[in-house]
Every structure is written in structure tokens, then in C-alpha cells.
Amino acid sequence: MSISIVTPAYNAEKHLQETIESVQSQTLRDWEILLVDDGSRDRTAEIASRYAAEDSRIRVIRQPNGGVSSARNHGREIADARRPYIIFLDSDDVWKPNALSLLHSAMERSPQAVAAHGMADYIDENSRPINLPDMEAWFASRRYVDGNRIRTRKPDATTSFNDLAVRNYVCAPSSILIRKALLSEVGSFDPSFSGCADWDMWLRLAAHGDFVCEQEIVLSYRRHPNSMSGDQQAMRREDRRVRQKFIASQDLNAEQRHAVLIAFRDQEWTLARDKARTIHESLLHGRFKDAAGQSKYLCGHLGRYLMPGH
């Protein structure tokens, strides 16, 4: 008995078949998949049930619409307890054929690790590749908190709490295999986070140990034009909420809270520098009203996030 796969699905009829078939194509065959239909109003349940009728490893669970975190939590609760690993596969993502084999082998080689994650490439609504040439460099240049400084991590190093305090280096939930037993300690996905519930979970897991980081692509992650990941302002607000939660958390030790605080201030200084450059450009081009408004925002930003005591 090996891996439980939890797939939350809401109105997922367009891509669910491709996702399920990417699971069935895995070179590692010992898995179960729990397809949690989160109150869909389209053909999601029909498609899922058709595959379940043909493959005993597939189970369909239906619930009233409660959001992705609720569906993930429901699936985790009813997963086969005999299976030591769990992964949360989104209903529109597509695995490479060796994804589970690669992540499972990484965990078996590293019994002290709490999870293993890989890299992703990107596809669009019609499953066409999206070329993002900077993504490999982005993963390779992971940074971490070292005392009061931010340093660059070696590409073959594990991903630690101090890395994840800087940024969410797990590209998608579909790319991370987790030791199931640890989830009972860290709790459920937090439904109050609509865009960063996964990062919140990874930080809680990483407080207990490191993640193996596999420098191979395991996933084709689907990018939607209207997804929250494209709404920078919304994601920034969620990002701050997560950071502030962990700065105040009593579940972390003092060193871990310090790491979150240093990473938070580094990010906010970076945002402040970017805003200062925007103000400079506005002044150079005579946009004085824009510069004044941006300066007011910057002063408020400095007071809220970067002054001593914050």
C-alpha cells in the first residue's frame, strides 16, 4: 500500500478526464485516488463516476460546495490509513508518467524528510505548452534565511522552513508528496486562505522537517487567465496574512518566528524599492500627481510594515 491521491473537483468537466488519465498512466501503479466533487453543477460527477466504475482504485465522494480546502480536507480524512503517503492533485493538472515513482523514491531514500517536491512546466487552457524560460532559474535560485540575512541555496539542497519563509518554492500542491502521518499533527488546510492555503500548509509541515527537492519536472501545471495567481494584489494580501500569522504563531520556536520576520521585512523592502523606482519614473516624466499618490502609499507602507516594532 503506497499513495493516496486527493483530487478536489469543482465544475472540472473540461480537464478532469486528462487529469485522471495522467494518474492511470503512472509507472508506479500502487495508488488510490479520491475524487471529491465539491458541489459541481456540470458533468464532473458523471465523468468521475465513469472512471470509478472501470477502475477500483478510483473513489468518488460528493459534498456540498465548500471550497478547495474543504474538499482536500474531506479527502484526506477518508483516505486509506494504511497508505503512508498522500498528494493533493488539482483537477486540471497533468502528471508526467514518472511523477509518483520519482517522488516516492525520494521519500524512501530520505526517511527523515517530511515531504518531497518536484518542478513543473506550464500548459494553457487547451493543454498547449507555455514557454516560461525563467522558471528553471527561479527554482534553482532558492533563497533562505540565515540569521539576519537572506542567502542563496544550492540547487541540490533540501527545502527547509527557512526557504519557505522567504517564498513558496513548492510550485503547486500537485507536485508534493507528503508523509500522511504528519498531517494529523499539523492539522487541516485552512479555508480562510483562498490563495495561500497550500503555502500555509507547507510552512506548518516544514516546521517539523525538510522537504526533498527533486530537480526534475513532475507536473504540467495549468495556468488560467482569470486565476487568482494572476491577481497580484490579492495574492500580496494573502501573502502578508500568512507571514503575519507565522510571526505570531506559538507553534513555532523563536528561531522559526525570527526567520519569518526577516523574510517578511526583506519582501516588504523589495516592494518599497520597486515603488520608489516607480515614483522616480513618474517624476522624470512630469507625472507629479501620480508621484504624490505613490509617495503617500509608500509612506504608509513603510509605517505599517517596516518601522521598528512591526
Side-chain angles (χ1 to χ4, degrees):
M1 306 295 279
S2 183
I3 297 171
S4 294
I5 304 160
V6 174
T7 295
Y10 176 69
N11 292 345
E13 65 178 6
K14 182 175 181 180
H15 301 116
L16 184 60
Q17 177 175 330
E18 187 178 6
T19 298
I20 295 172
E21 291 180 358
S22 81
V23 178
Q24 293 179 315
S25 298
Q26 290 300 297
T27 55
L28 188 153
R29 309 291 296 170
D30 184 11
W31 47 261
E32 67 166 350
I33 180 169
L34 298 99
L35 291 162
V36 183
D37 176 22
D38 188 35
S40 297
R41 293 169 294 182
D42 63 359
R43 295 176 54 248
T44 293
E46 176 189 334
I47 294 168
S49 297
R50 184 174 73 243
Y51 278 91
E54 299 171 354
D55 191 334
S56 62
R57 297 171 297 177
I58 300 174
R59 297 162 59 191
V60 180
I61 301 95
R62 305 192 71 176
Q63 67 171 37
N65 181 248
V68 64
S69 290
S70 171
R72 286 172 181 161
N73 292 334
H74 189 179
R76 189 206 86 183
E77 289 167 1
I78 62 176
D80 189 335
R82 295 170 295 176
R83 296 180 181 273
Y85 301 114
I86 190 167
I87 190 167
F88 297 92
L89 173 65
D90 286 344
S91 61
D92 57 354
D93 287 345
V94 179
W95 274 336
K96 305 301 183 183
N98 68 335
L100 290 183
S101 177
L102 182 72
L103 295 174
H104 181 266
S105 295
M107 292 297 283
E108 292 290 290
R109 292 194 310 269
S110 305
Q112 76 287 354
V114 301
H117 69 103
M119 297 172 62
D121 58 22
Y122 291 81
I123 54 177
D124 66 12
E125 285 280 293
N126 299 306
S127 300
R128 295 174 301 207
I130 299 174
N131 183 26
L132 295 174
D134 59 334
M135 283 307 300
E136 186 173 347
W138 186 86
F139 279 106
S141 62
R142 284 173 298 150
R143 300 187 303 146
Y144 69 103
V145 178
D146 181 15
N148 291 321
R149 299 175 65 87
I150 307 291
R151 302 188 187 277
T152 300
R153 180 73 75 189
K154 293 180 179 179
D156 60 350
T158 58
T159 298
S160 71
F161 180 90
N162 284 21
D163 296 72
L164 290 164
V166 176
R167 184 182 292 167
N168 183 7
Y169 289 108
V170 179
C171 56
S174 307
S175 69
I176 178 170
L177 185 67
I178 304 163
R179 291 197 194 277
K180 191 185 292 181
L182 186 57
L183 286 176
S184 62
E185 294 186 44
V186 302
S188 302
F189 285 92
D190 186 344
S192 72
F193 293 115
S194 55
C196 291
D198 54 344
W199 184 33
D200 169 72
M201 173 61 80
W202 312 154
L203 281 165
R204 283 186 276 147
L205 287 168
H208 293 265
D210 291 353
F211 299 175
V212 178
C213 179
E214 288 290 331
Q215 297 292 309
E216 292 190 41
I217 294 173
V218 300
L219 171 71
S220 288
Y221 176 75
R222 199 177 303 275
R223 290 174 64 97
H224 300 275
N226 297 319
S227 67
M228 186 175 180
S229 59
D231 185 342
Q232 294 301 313
Q233 289 299 323
M235 288 299 290
R236 192 169 294 167
R237 288 192 296 270
E238 286 268 293
D239 181 290
R240 286 188 180 124
R241 286 184 58 220
V242 171
R243 294 180 189 278
Q244 290 166 337
K245 169 185 173 178
F246 281 90
I247 290 170
S249 174
Q250 297 304 306
D251 295 327
L252 303 180
N253 60 41
E255 181 180 347
Q256 290 167 337
R257 288 196 300 273
H258 176 76
V260 179
L261 178 61
I262 294 301
F264 177 74
R265 287 182 172 168
D266 177 76
Q267 182 205 47
E268 296 303 324
W269 276 118
T270 299
L271 293 173
R273 286 193 297 268
D274 290 344
K275 180 61 69 174
R277 282 193 289 268
T278 302
I279 293 169
H280 179 67
E281 287 294 317
S282 295
L283 290 172
L284 286 177
H285 291 88
R287 299 193 297 268
F288 301 115
K289 186 175 181 179
D290 287 347
Q294 293 160 353
S295 296
K296 182 178 180 180
Y297 172 88
L298 178 57
C299 289
H301 178 86
L302 290 170
R304 283 193 303 274
Y305 300 117
L306 296 172
M307 294 298 102
H310 288 77

